Amino acid sequence: MALAAGTRLGPYEIGDPLGAGGMGEVYRAKDPRLGREVAIKVLPSSFSQDVDRLKRFEQEARAAGVLNHPNITAVYDLGSHEGSPYIVTELLEGETLRSRLGAGALSPRKAIDYAIQIARGLAAAHEKGIVHRDLKPENLFVTKDGRVKILDFGLAKLKTEKDGETQTDLRTVSGTEPGVVLGTMGYMSPEQVRGKSADRRSDLFSFGTILYEMLSGQRAFRGDTAADTITAILTKEPPDLTQTNKDLHPGLERIVRHCLEKNPEERFESARDVAFDLEALSGVSRPTGAVAVAEVTKKRTVLVPVLLGAALALAAGLAAGYRYGKKVGYVPPPNYQQLSFRRGEVYSARFAPDGQSVVYAASWDGRPVELFSTRTDRPESRAFGLTGADVLAVSNSGEVLVSLDRHVSEPFIRTGTLAEIGISGGVAPREIVKDVQWADWDPSGKDLAVVRDVQLRSQIEFPLGRVLYQTAGWISHPRISPDGSLVAFLEHPQRRDDGGTVGVVDRAGKKRTLSEAYSSEFGLAWSPDGSSIWVTGAKVGGNRALHEITLSGKSRLLARVTQSLTLQDVARDGRVLVAHDTIRIGIMAGGQKLAKERELAWLDWSSLFDISPDGKTILFSETGEGTGPEYSTFVRGTDGSAPIRLGAGGAQAMSLDGQWAAVLVGHARRVLTLYATGAGDKRVIDTGDLELQGGTSFTPDGQRVLTTANEPGRGPRIFVVDLAGGKPRALTPEGYRAFSRGISPDARSVAVTGPDRRVYLYPLSGGEPTPVTGMEQDETVGGWAADGKALFVYRRRDIPGKLYRLDLATGKRAVAREVMPADGAGVVDIAPIFETPDGDSYVYGFQRTLSDLYLVDGLK
């Protein structure tokens, strides 16, 4: 029975009907709590007694509810109305792929675009152990802005990837065991029509049928009867795609054929592999005139040839896909030679003057960072015997600039003592200056360019001691041009964020910005002739690719890989050193209320920001590849329940009552926004022309927040923002920054860092700050003890992480908590570390980076 407009389903108000299918009726609805429109799928009352159908309906909600991906429809809620269950999802504006195909085949360019998005969504589902099993054009939705969304996980089955693994909480529903045929005829895999168990490779077969139909306008398998269609799926091959489109690239035909292999073992291994090969063909629509772009992919058990021009193979291991060439036609792929073979993170690497030796810093097998040397013609690495050091630059005469006691002083920022050592090692390094973040030699090997913080402003000095440029954000990767006239660098406008732009500054201090903003940028070097700058950055997400930026600001892609690249160095002959990185930011929770530590990360970069006083809820943001073009903020129960997305932006803090989350939304200019963690509308707080920097905390009464911000043209200071309205009030002079969770329980003072980098307690009513005794350099405040007599502090460089209770009266400290993931390989940072006031619960974040160092030859 249809629902009338205005009917209430729980808090939702029903609007117009949007459609109906075998699994329910769909309506437009409004959620008055958040003021947003949603879609609601309601199981018809006539089916509510059908136990199997009901379980399948619930399965759809549960399966989709654990997924969070831009190419999968978001599920907001699950409820029941008068015995009929319903699912609340995001409201999509557009049409199904079936409707789009009603006009015939798509262009190869559009088909590839849609297929890449579908493959990415499937990859996200498969990595959670979820198989769709009913993929078809009716279950794919194309929004008005061209984004493809996968619908209906009603037939999804969770499957463990290895024998003996524990099943996830979602159960296989009745009627979906092997031997029962489910799915839609014409898009089912051979194993499905035989009633056998279906895994992720079955979805890839269905994907292949859809891609075939998008390219040809015809179904891959069709017959006059169901039996004929089954026979075609089991025994026949669909007609060649070139019969309907002779200009179709042969590589695309091969991808489709590889998806449609009858034997699952002969198909692609994963949806990510499919997406990668399609990305290699994006922009290629004809068999000739292809432009090649360098790509790197994972090792595969099956080689998938993709022809670009005469012949281009995607090789096993990290192999090239295609790269931009200056001439039209076939361009041979670059060669990737692996130089490191241990498990851990590559910090930095530089060519020696001979071009054959390489000096690099890495943390292998859970050990501290150490300096190594290797040669490009041998696989062995030799340790310098210098631990805790990072390599920053190598001069033309073979002198190496290193950073001693290298440690994380802020997120993304490492600091140490700048020192010099010979390329052959064997002697103690000569210290030059302390508290330097980055450095480079000029071509003569006599002058240095350095980056360091002075009064909480990041500055470039060239030569050492002469300031060329300052910013309230932070600067990384300074590299002097081959002629010595310019310093190129990466400028990051926001502390605690690695997004930013590429800039150059000349010796007179004239600075220019050359690039658009990257969401993540790390790694920079000059091209061999000094006419351009090569940089690794990501326009969206966190998987960085290699780009070239000319001095006039023109940009082109040089290389893209699965996961992320970090550029280390470029030799005079154009060979390149890169680190291929797999980066994850995770969250662990533990304490007396949990039997053991529990993983609470959601996507790839789950950045922790707060825990509620009762230890039941954490606040975190997703800031990596999985969240798409914007950061997203979530709350999640420490019991492991599914996260709840509050909205876009980077998290800051929760109010003590747990009802509100303070979030900074936007990148170029961040806006202070309050999200209700339960029912309620978001609130945008007017902070005038302040440039918000973070370090935000709620006062205990929840009526105000303290935050660090810059007034235009001035340095950072701390402001008090009344949430009821009014102009923000400056609490401190310039040079002070607040800690998140820094306000005392009695709201009399806040923990801050001063211009001298010391920690102070600043009175909220005004007055002079009091220095905190017993704090060590670069330690961070992680909150207050319940009695207000002690601070919890930690230091990012500690592995394992240690949370100390620091007595404010005596300056004495004691270890309150020591934390470390069970698998320590690649763990480079443990922070933040929070403990609830009663000490019963704790939570900590950690970053794991696993890298391999590569020598790349042939990039142009």
Side-chain angles (χ1 to χ4, degrees):
M1 177 188 235
L3 295 175
T7 302
R8 287 273 183 174
L9 267 67
Y12 306 101
E13 182 177 321
I14 295 295
D16 299 331
L18 297 175
M23 287 303 296
E25 299 167 339
V26 185
Y27 297 87
R28 182 189 299 268
K30 184 174 183 180
D31 183 351
R33 300 169 301 176
L34 299 178
R36 67 181 174 190
E37 288 193 312
V38 297
I40 294 184
K41 176 181 283 188
V42 183
L43 188 67
S45 57
S46 59
F47 296 155
S48 61
Q49 301 305 313
D50 186 332
V51 175
D52 181 63
R53 189 182 296 270
L54 187 60
K55 286 185 177 180
R56 285 166 55 193
F57 185 86
E58 292 175 349
Q59 177 79 350
E60 177 182 341
R62 292 176 183 273
V66 301
L67 300 173
N68 188 294
H69 190 273
N71 298 118
I72 297 175
T73 306
V75 172
Y76 297 142
D77 197 4
L78 176 67
S80 179
H81 174 72
E82 296 180 355
S84 295
Y86 60 83
I87 303 173
V88 183
T89 68
E90 63 178 312
L91 179 65
L92 303 177
E93 300 287 350
E95 61 183 339
T96 65
L97 181 59
R98 170 60 67 212
S99 297
R100 183 66 61 90
L101 291 174
L106 306 180
S107 69
R109 180 189 64 81
K110 183 61 69 176
I112 291 173
D113 177 27
Y114 289 173
I116 289 171
Q117 295 186 60
I118 298 166
R120 287 173 176 166
L122 283 177
H126 291 169
E127 287 169 5
K128 295 290 185 181
I130 297 174
V131 181
H132 191 288
R133 299 205 304 165
D134 193 24
L135 205 63
K136 56 187 176 182
E138 289 81 358
N139 283 340
L140 297 167
F141 196 92
V142 183
T143 65
K144 290 182 177 179
D145 61 357
R147 176 165 288 184
V148 181
K149 297 273 191 175
I150 303 175
L151 312 174
D152 276 351
F153 276 84
L155 296 178
K157 185 183 76 170
L158 295 184
K159 178 185 180 298
T160 53
E161 295 299 313
K162 299 177 182 178
D163 292 341
E165 286 187 354
T166 303
Q167 283 278 29
T168 63
D169 290 339
L170 298 183
R171 304 183 200 127
T172 301
V173 300
S174 172
T176 61
E177 299 300 330
V180 178
V181 176
L182 285 177
T184 300
M185 199 64 65
Y187 300 95
M188 296 165 63
S189 65
E191 55 269 27
Q192 280 181 290
V193 299
R194 288 191 175 105
K196 294 184 178 180
S197 180
D199 61 15
R200 63 187 181 185
R201 294 168 299 183
S202 295
D203 279 353
L204 296 184
F205 186 94
S206 301
F207 170 88
T209 66
I210 295 167
L211 179 53
Y212 182 96
E213 190 169 344
M214 286 194 291
L215 293 166
S216 68
Q218 303 291 328
R219 297 198 182 195
F221 303 102
R222 57 191 184 276
D224 294 335
T225 67
D228 291 339
T229 302
I230 290 175
T231 300
I233 291 171
L234 294 176
T235 64
K236 297 180 181 180
E237 298 292 338
D240 289 345
L241 286 167
T242 52
Q243 291 183 10
T244 56
N245 188 344
K246 296 187 181 301
D247 289 335
L248 197 68
H249 195 282
L252 193 54
E253 172 93 42
R254 287 181 173 269
I255 291 174
V256 174
R257 295 292 174 186
H258 198 42
C259 289
L260 296 180
E261 293 286 356
K262 307 297 185 186
N263 183 356
E265 300 294 333
E266 296 178 5
R267 293 177 206 145
F268 281 97
E269 178 63 24
S270 73
R272 286 205 180 276
D273 289 346
V274 179
F276 175 82
D277 286 354
L278 286 167
E279 286 165 354
L281 287 177
S282 59
V284 178
S285 60
R286 300 181 61 88
T288 59
V291 177
V293 176
E295 293 278 358
V296 180
T297 187
K298 299 178 181 178
K299 288 185 178 181
R300 301 184 184 169
T301 57
V302 180
L303 299 183
V304 186
V306 176
L307 302 181
L308 294 176
L312 178 59
L314 289 172
L318 285 169
Y322 68 112
R323 67 181 168 87
Y324 283 117
K326 295 182 179 178
K327 295 181 180 180
V328 174
Y330 169 70
V331 181
N335 179 61
Y336 287 81
Q337 177 187 345
Q338 190 168 345
L339 299 181
S340 67
F341 302 90
R342 297 170 67 180
R343 191 164 182 259
E345 181 188 18
V346 174
Y347 278 53
S348 57
R350 296 290 186 272
F351 284 106
D354 63 7
Q356 301 303 316
S357 300
V358 173
V359 181
Y360 72 93
S363 172
W364 296 133
D365 306 315
R367 298 172 59 85
V369 62
E370 189 174 359
L371 218 59
F372 297 87
S373 66
T374 188
R375 287 186 57 82
T376 60
D377 55 354
R378 303 191 194 109
E380 300 88 3
S381 290
R382 177 182 66 85
F384 267 68
L386 193 60
T387 59
D390 201 354
V391 58
L392 300 181
V394 179
S395 72
N396 292 330
S397 60
E399 296 301 311
V400 183
L401 287 178
V402 296
S403 178
L404 304 178
D405 190 27
R406 188 73 159 170
H407 58 278
V408 178
S409 55
E410 291 185 48
F412 304 108
I413 302 176
R414 291 174 174 147
T415 303
T417 297
L418 184 64
E420 179 184 339
I421 190 172
I423 192 77
S424 59
V427 297
R430 179 181 68 85
E431 295 188 2
I432 300 174
V433 62
K434 295 184 181 297
D435 297 328
V436 169
Q437 296 165 7
W438 301 91
D440 192 31
W441 291 109
D442 78 338
S444 70
K446 296 179 180 179
D447 288 333
L448 300 176
V450 303
V451 171
R452 53 180 167 176
D453 278 357
V454 175
Q455 293 188 341
L456 295 181
R457 292 181 68 86
S458 185
Q459 64 186 34
I460 299 176
E461 301 174 17
F462 180 45
L464 182 64
R466 181 171 181 268
V467 178
L468 287 186
Y469 180 66
Q470 278 191 332
T471 177
W474 62 285
I475 294 167
S476 67
H477 299 85
R479 300 297 292 267
I480 302 172
S481 60
D483 64 5
S485 65
L486 298 171
V487 180
F489 60 96
L490 300 179
E491 182 171 11
H492 312 270
Q494 307 294 345
R495 310 290 285 204
R496 300 179 62 90
D497 191 291
D498 66 340
T501 56
V502 179
V504 292
V505 60
D506 62 20
R507 285 180 174 264
K510 182 180 179 181
K511 181 254 182 180
R512 290 182 291 145
T513 299
L514 300 183
S515 74
E516 296 180 350
Y518 292 98
S519 65
S520 172
E521 57 174 8
F522 212 75
L524 178 148
W526 286 89
S527 63
D529 62 3
S531 64
S532 62
I533 299 161
W534 292 8
V535 59
T536 37
K539 296 295 180 68
V540 175
N543 285 348
R544 297 184 293 267
L546 180 60
H547 302 265
E548 180 187 40
I549 312 289
T550 68
L551 293 179
S552 62
K554 295 182 179 179
S555 173
R556 70 184 180 101
L557 179 69
L558 289 174
R560 186 186 302 281
V561 303
T562 57
Q563 300 298 327
S564 187
L565 281 179
T566 302
L567 175 63
Q568 301 293 345
D569 204 8
V570 177
R572 296 171 185 171
D573 60 4
R575 291 173 304 138
V576 176
L577 287 175
V578 296
H580 180 245
D581 305 313
T582 301
I583 306 171
R584 292 289 184 270
I585 297 178
I587 302 172
M588 301 295 294
Q592 298 179 16
K593 298 173 183 177
L594 298 176
K596 61 178 182 179
E597 281 195 343
R598 174 175 286 142
E599 171 68 63
L600 294 178
W602 186 235
L603 301 178
D604 52 342
W605 284 23
S606 301
S607 300
L608 174 67
F609 282 87
D610 211 345
I611 183 173
S612 60
D614 60 9
K616 294 182 178 180
T617 307
I618 63 167
L619 176 71
F620 70 97
S621 284
E622 287 293 344
T623 59
E625 191 72 14
T627 193
E630 294 182 314
Y631 294 170
S632 293
T633 292
F634 297 79
V635 289
R636 187 175 193 180
T638 53
D639 60 359
S641 55
I644 299 172
R645 183 179 184 273
L646 302 182
Q652 290 290 295
M654 276 192 296
S655 58
L656 293 187
D657 61 10
Q659 294 185 14
W660 295 95
V663 178
L664 297 183
V665 179
H667 291 285
R669 185 181 185 280
R670 302 203 281 187
V671 177
L672 179 61
T673 305
L674 302 185
Y675 287 121
T677 59
D681 295 331
K682 72 177 182 182
R683 298 168 58 190
V684 176
I685 307 301
D686 184 8
T687 56
D689 57 0
L690 293 181
E691 299 172 5
L692 303 178
Q693 296 290 327
T696 305
S697 298
F698 283 91
T699 56
D701 60 8
Q703 302 301 308
R704 296 170 294 165
V705 296
L706 266 64
T707 191
T708 305
N710 295 50
E711 294 172 303
R714 303 186 66 175
R717 60 199 303 192
I718 300 170
F719 289 82
V720 180
V721 180
D722 191 328
L723 300 180
K727 185 178 179 180
R729 173 176 63 88
L731 177 67
T732 69
E734 288 185 51
Y736 286 86
R737 294 180 183 271
F739 291 104
S740 296
R741 298 171 56 89
I743 300 176
S744 63
D746 59 10
R748 292 185 177 180
S749 58
V750 58
V752 303
T753 54
D756 57 359
R757 302 187 67 86
R758 295 181 63 188
V759 177
Y760 295 86
L761 297 183
Y762 212 100
L764 291 180
S765 59
E768 293 299 315
T770 303
V772 175
T773 58
M775 288 282 290
E776 298 182 3
Q777 187 178 18
D778 298 323
E779 282 190 326
T780 297
V781 173
W784 288 73
D787 58 10
K789 296 180 179 180
L791 289 173
F792 290 115
V793 301
Y794 60 89
R795 183 169 47 204
R796 305 188 73 101
R797 64 179 171 176
D798 287 341
I799 304 289
K802 295 182 178 67
L803 184 68
Y804 297 92
R805 180 187 169 100
L806 178 69
D807 188 282
L808 293 173
T810 65
K812 294 182 178 179
R813 64 175 56 215
V815 177
R817 188 81 60 182
E818 183 171 308
V819 293
M820 181 72 180
D823 178 7
V827 174
V828 297
D829 189 16
I830 296 180
I833 309 173
F834 299 144
E835 187 172 273
T836 54
D838 59 12
D840 287 346
S841 301
Y842 66 92
V843 63
Y844 65 93
F846 66 93
Q847 177 180 324
R848 186 191 306 278
T849 302
L850 299 176
S851 310
D852 293 303
L853 184 63
Y854 281 85
L855 174 70
V856 188
D857 190 9
L859 288 174
K860 294 180 181 178

